[in-house]
Amino acid sequence: MASEGINKFIKLWLCIIISLCYCYSIGRTKKTPKGIVRLLCLLPVMCLFLAIPLNISSIHFAGTTAFSISWLANFKLLLFAFGKGPLSSPSLSLPRFIAIACFPIKIQQHPSHLNVYQTPTNYAIKVLLFALLLSVYDYTHHIHPTILLVLYCFHVYFCLEIILVTVATLTRALLGLELEKQFNEPYLSTSLQDFWGKRWNLMATSVLRPTAYEPVRNTAARFIGRKRALLPAVFGTFVVSGIMHELIFYYLGRVWPTWEVMRFFLLHGVCVTAEIVLKNAFADKWPLPREVSTPLTVGFVMITGNWLFFPPLLRCGAKERALEEYGVLGAFIKNVTTLTFSSFQSH
C-alpha cells in the first residue's frame, strides 16, 4: 500500500511538472499577453492544482502538496498571469521556473557570503529534537493534556522547518540558487507583527504580500488614504491566509470545515491591527523589553493555537496518521541501512 501511494504521488508530481512546462510556454508566446487572456489560459492548470491533493492519502504528502501547489504555486501563477511575481522574470530558465513555481522557495535578491544554509548544525539539532519529540508520544497517557498541546506546537514548527529547509537545500544544490530562509527563529518574536511578518513561514508571507496585502492596501488607499489603508490590508491578508489554511485542513481531513482555523487567523488579524495602532500611539513612550514581549507573544500564539488551530487537526486523526507514516519511514530506513551494511560485509 505504501509503495502504491508513493507511485501515485510521483505520477501526480509528473503531472504538475508537465503543467508548469505548459505555463512556461504560455509566458513565452506573444499570443498570450499578460492580463485576462493569460489568466484564462492558466486557469485550467490552477483548477488542476486545487484538485491534486484530493488524490493523495498520506498526510505529509497531502499537506506539503496542498501548501506548495494548491496555495503558493497557484498564487504565483496568478501573479504571473499579470506579469508580476517571481515567475515573470524573462531570464528564468525552464528548470528554475518549475522550481520556483512548485517549491516554497524565494531567490535572494542580494546574496551574501554568510548564508543560512551554511549552518547545518542548527538544523541537525532541530532534527534531533524532533526525533526526541516523536519518542515522547509513546508516553502520552502519562503526560498532562496542556503539556501535550505545547508539544504539538513544537511538532508543527520542527516538522515544517525541516521539510521546507530540506526542499530548499536540494533546490539550491541542484540549481545553484541562493535562497532566502523560510523561518527566522519565531520563538524569539517580540510581537505578533514580528512573528507573522518577519519570522514565521516567510514563504507564505512573501506570496501573500503581492497577492493580498498590496491589492487591499492600494484599493483602500483610494478611500481612506495610504497610511490608514495599512490596517485593512493587514486584516485582509489574515482573511486570505485563514481561507487557504481551511482549504489545507480540508485536504488533510476530508471533513467539512468548522471554521476554527479561520477564527484563529481572524483573531490574529484583529490583534495585529490593534498592535500596530498601539505601537504607533505608545511604543515610543512605553516600549516593552524583549524579556517581557517575547514570552507574551509566543505564549499568545501557543494558547490561541491550542484553542483554535490544533483541535481540527486532532479530530481528523492527524497525529495518529503522522506517527504511522513516521513508523513506515523508520522501518524503510532501517531496512536500507541493514541491506547496505550487509553488502559491505559481503565485500
Side-chain angles (χ1 to χ4, degrees):
M1 291 297 290
S3 60
E4 289 179 9
I6 293 174
N7 289 337
K8 189 174 185 180
F9 180 72
I10 292 172
K11 290 177 182 177
L12 288 171
W13 270 84
L14 285 175
C15 180
I16 291 169
I17 292 171
I18 293 169
S19 300
L20 289 173
C21 290
Y22 161 77
C23 296
Y24 181 81
S25 66
I26 288 294
R28 296 299 184 271
T29 176
K30 295 180 180 180
K31 294 181 180 179
T32 52
K34 60 185 179 182
I36 298 299
V37 173
R38 186 184 293 181
L39 177 62
L40 291 175
C41 293
L42 297 175
L43 206 54
V45 173
M46 296 168 73
C47 292
L48 173 66
F49 285 0
L50 287 173
I52 278 178
L54 294 172
N55 296 282
I56 303 173
S57 58
S58 162
I59 192 166
H60 288 93
F61 289 163
T64 53
T65 304
F67 174 65
S68 301
I69 302 302
S70 301
W71 182 359
L72 298 191
N74 266 348
F75 277 37
K76 291 173 187 177
L77 288 177
L78 181 62
L79 292 170
F80 177 61
F82 295 93
K84 300 178 180 179
L87 301 179
S88 297
S89 172
S91 61
L92 274 185
S93 63
L94 177 59
R96 291 193 175 194
F97 181 93
I98 293 172
I100 293 169
C102 66
F103 295 137
I105 59 173
K106 184 180 179 183
I107 298 176
Q108 277 190 353
Q109 298 302 317
H110 305 288
S112 61
H113 295 292
L114 182 62
N115 193 284
V116 65
Y117 299 105
Q118 294 174 355
T119 57
T121 306
N122 241 357
Y123 299 102
I125 292 172
K126 288 174 182 176
V127 170
L128 178 60
L129 290 174
F130 185 57
L132 291 173
L133 176 62
L134 295 180
S135 66
V136 170
Y137 286 138
D138 292 334
Y139 307 95
T140 51
H141 296 297
H142 306 286
I143 301 175
H144 193 277
T146 304
I147 303 298
L148 270 179
L149 290 173
V150 173
L151 294 179
Y152 295 152
C153 294
F154 285 105
H155 185 145
V156 169
Y157 167 56
F158 287 142
C159 186
L160 279 177
E161 182 161 22
I162 289 167
I163 290 173
L164 295 182
V165 168
T166 301
V167 170
T169 302
L170 290 173
T171 305
R172 179 176 181 266
L174 292 172
L175 298 178
L177 297 173
E178 292 295 331
L179 305 174
E180 294 189 3
K181 53 188 173 183
Q182 289 86 354
F183 287 85
N184 184 22
E185 300 177 322
Y187 44 83
L188 298 180
S189 302
T190 56
S191 66
L192 290 177
Q193 192 179 7
D194 183 37
F195 179 87
W196 291 112
K198 298 178 181 179
R199 293 185 180 273
W200 180 264
N201 200 353
L202 299 178
M203 297 304 99
T205 302
S206 68
V207 169
L208 284 168
R209 183 176 296 277
T211 54
Y213 174 82
E214 290 175 1
V216 173
R217 187 170 188 181
N218 292 337
T219 303
R222 301 175 186 175
F223 304 97
I224 59 176
R226 185 152 186 86
K227 187 176 181 180
R228 292 181 179 177
L230 169 68
L231 300 181
V234 169
F235 185 75
T237 304
F238 277 92
V239 171
V240 175
S241 182
I243 292 171
M244 298 313 298
H245 277 85
E246 284 286 3
L247 180 63
I248 291 174
F249 275 45
Y250 177 76
Y251 289 134
L252 296 178
R254 312 292 164 87
V255 293
W256 192 254
T258 57
W259 303 109
E260 289 166 279
V261 179
M262 186 69 186
R263 293 203 298 272
F264 171 82
F265 283 96
L266 291 178
L267 172 62
H268 278 258
V270 170
C271 291
V272 171
T273 53
E275 187 180 84
I276 292 171
V277 173
L278 291 173
K279 275 185 178 180
N280 291 336
F282 303 111
D284 293 334
K285 298 177 182 178
W286 299 300
L288 282 176
R290 178 180 288 273
E291 293 77 10
V292 176
S293 61
T294 295
L296 283 176
T297 301
V298 176
F300 181 79
V301 172
M302 294 178 79
I303 290 169
T304 53
N306 292 331
W307 172 33
L308 294 170
F309 191 87
F310 289 112
L313 276 179
L314 296 175
R315 283 197 299 270
C316 74
K319 187 187 82 172
E320 292 76 14
R321 291 164 59 195
L323 291 177
E324 182 181 348
E325 291 177 14
Y326 295 141
V328 172
L329 178 61
F332 174 76
I333 293 173
K334 183 179 179 181
N335 291 335
V336 170
T337 305
T338 303
L339 289 172
T340 304
F341 184 71
S342 299
S343 65
F344 274 121
Q345 282 187 324
S346 64
H347 289 294

